[in-house]
Amino acid sequence: MQSKLIIVTFISLFSFAYSVSGQKNIDSPYSRFNLGTLQPEGSFRSLGMGSVGTAMRDNSSIYFSNPASYSSLDTISFVFDFGLDYGSNFISDGISKFSSNDLNFHHLILGFPLAKGWGFAAGIVPISSGYYQISQTVTSADPGYDPTTGEYTETHNGDGGITKFFFGTGIKLSKNFSVGANLSFLSGQIKRDNSIQFSDFYNVFNNISEEKLVLGGINFDYGIQYTASFKNNYFLNLGASITTGNNYNTKYSQLSLKYTAYNVTDTISYVPNNSTKTFIPATYRFGIAFGKKNKFTAGLDYVSTKWSTSKIPGSSGYAADTRELRFGAEFIPDKYSNYSYLSRIEYRIGGHFGDNYLIINGEQLKEYGASIGFGIPLPMILGNPFSKTNLYIDYTKKYASPTNNLHAEGFLTIGVSLNLYDNWFFKRKYE
C-alpha cells in the first residue's frame, strides 16, 4: 500500500508541475479569438468513443462531464488516470499549406468510493489553448505590394490557455437514480502580441500591440443519471448534466503603440490592467447509452452552449451558439479470457459533428471528426483485469467557406493514458 501511494503521489506532483509550466504549442490562427481553441472534454476512453460521457458509467473509468457517474465506483476500488497526447494541426487556405505539432500533458484524474453507491473524483483537465504563431512578409514581388507602404513583415503571436481543476461527488438516491456535483476552479492566462515592421525602418513608424487576459474563478457542474437493468446483463442509461454559466474574475490589459528607430514612441491606445469579468455561458448535455455489461456499449450525446451570450474582453462579436452530436461504441470480445489476449482488448469507435464557437466575417465555423480507441489490459502492473492503457486517435476537421477568406484546419490527435485500478480499500487475509 505504501509503495502504491508513493508512485501515485510522484506522478501526481510531476504532472501537476508539468501542467502549470507546460503548454500545448500547436499553431492555430483561430486561437487568436475568444478563449482560444477549445479542447475536447473527457478521458481518453471517452474521446475514443467520440467524447460521449453524459450517460456513461463504469467502475474503472471516470466520466467527469456528468458527476452522477461517480456513484458507479466500487466500494473497494481506487481509479487513477494520467494521460499525454500528441497533436498535429494541418492548415490550408487552398493555395498554401502549413503544419505544426507538439506532445504535452493532457489530464490527471482520480476517483474512489466514500461508501456503497457514493463516489468521489478529482482532476486537472484542459479547457482551451491560445497558442499560435503567424508571420507574413510582403515584398515588391508580391501581388499585394503597395509602393506607398513599402515592404513590411507582419507578425502575430499567442500564448497561454485555460485549465480546470475539479473535485466532486456522485451518490445513488435509489437503485436506478444517481445525482452528482462538481466544484470547478478555472484559471489561466492568454497573451497576444501583434507587430508590423517596415523595411524602411528609419523613416516610418512601426506598430506593436500587446493584449493579456488573466482569468480565475469557481463554477459548478450538476448531473443526473437513470439506469435500467434487463435480462442477460443488458442495460439502458439516461443522463443529463449542466455546467452553469458564471462570471469569472478577470484582469485585462491592452497596449498599442508606434515607434521609430530613433526611440520615438507614440501610444495609440491603452487599457490598463483593470479588474473586470469574463462571462462563460452554461453548457447543457443530454445522453443515452445502451449495452451489455462487459461486452459492448453504444452512446449518444447532445451538447449545447449559448456562446453568443458570452462576454470575453477583447473578443466581442466573435462567439456564436454551438450544438454538437457525439456518438460512439465499445466492444470487448471476451473481457476475462484466459486464452486470447486480443479478446480482452476494448475496441472503440466514435464520431462528432456540430458548430465551432467562433464566428468570423459573419460566418460560423463548423467541425466534424472521427475517432478510434483501444483499452489494452495491463494485468502485470496491478494484477487485475481492470488496469489498462487507453489509446485513442482522433481526426477533427474545422472549416468554413473559402469565399470568406477563411482557412481549413485538420487536427490529428494521438493520446495515451495509464488507467490504474486497484482494490486499495480491501483488507487482505494474507499479505
Side-chain angles (χ1 to χ4, degrees), residues 161-183:
I162 309 298
T163 301
K164 177 170 76 173
F165 167 74
F166 73 90
F167 64 88
T169 184
I171 187 170
K172 275 189 175 183
L173 298 181
S174 67
K175 178 182 178 181
N176 303 104
F177 281 97
S178 297
V179 297
N182 284 331
L183 174 63

Side-chain angles (χ1 to χ4, degrees), residues 221-238:
D221 307 308
Y222 301 103
I224 185 171
Q225 286 185 335
Y226 172 81
T227 302
S229 300
F230 306 103
K231 292 181 179 180
N232 299 320
N233 288 324
Y234 286 96
F235 64 85
L236 174 68
N237 298 337
L238 302 176

Side-chain angles (χ1 to χ4, degrees), residues 289-300:
F290 173 76
K292 184 176 183 180
K293 186 177 179 181
N294 297 328
K295 194 66 177 181
F296 77 90
T297 303
L300 174 70

Side-chain angles (χ1 to χ4, degrees), residues 276-295:
T276 182
K277 296 289 185 179
T278 295
F279 177 70
I280 300 178
T283 295
Y284 300 90
R285 308 174 189 87
F286 305 92
I288 182 172
F290 173 76
K292 184 176 183 180
K293 186 177 179 181
N294 297 328
K295 194 66 177 181

Side-chain angles (χ1 to χ4, degrees), residues 1-118:
M1 170 68 111
Q2 185 177 4
S3 61
K4 296 175 183 177
L5 285 172
I6 293 174
I7 293 172
V8 170
T9 301
F10 174 80
I11 297 177
S12 301
L13 292 175
F14 170 80
S15 60
F16 178 75
Y18 196 87
S19 68
V20 172
S21 60
Q23 180 202 317
K24 188 172 292 185
N25 298 328
I26 301 177
D27 283 316
S28 172
Y30 291 134
S31 295
R32 294 178 60 191
F33 307 95
N34 300 332
L35 298 176
T37 299
L38 298 182
Q39 303 298 300
E41 65 177 5
S43 66
F44 289 169
R45 181 176 187 177
S46 174
L47 296 181
M49 298 173 64
S51 297
V52 295
T54 308
M56 305 290 286
R57 47 191 294 117
D58 185 87
N59 62 352
S60 62
S61 299
I62 299 171
Y63 295 95
F64 56 86
S65 62
N66 190 342
S69 64
Y70 305 160
S71 64
S72 65
L73 293 172
D74 287 340
T75 54
I76 57 174
S77 64
F78 184 97
V79 179
F80 178 86
D81 198 317
F82 169 77
L84 301 172
D85 68 350
Y86 166 85
S88 185
N89 196 17
F90 304 92
I91 303 172
S92 174
D93 60 3
I95 300 176
S96 57
K97 296 182 179 181
F98 174 80
S99 65
S100 65
N101 57 81
D102 189 36
L103 173 68
N104 214 320
F105 164 83
H106 184 268
H107 69 264
L108 167 66
I109 311 170
L110 59 87
F112 54 85
L114 299 175
K116 185 177 181 180
W118 182 18

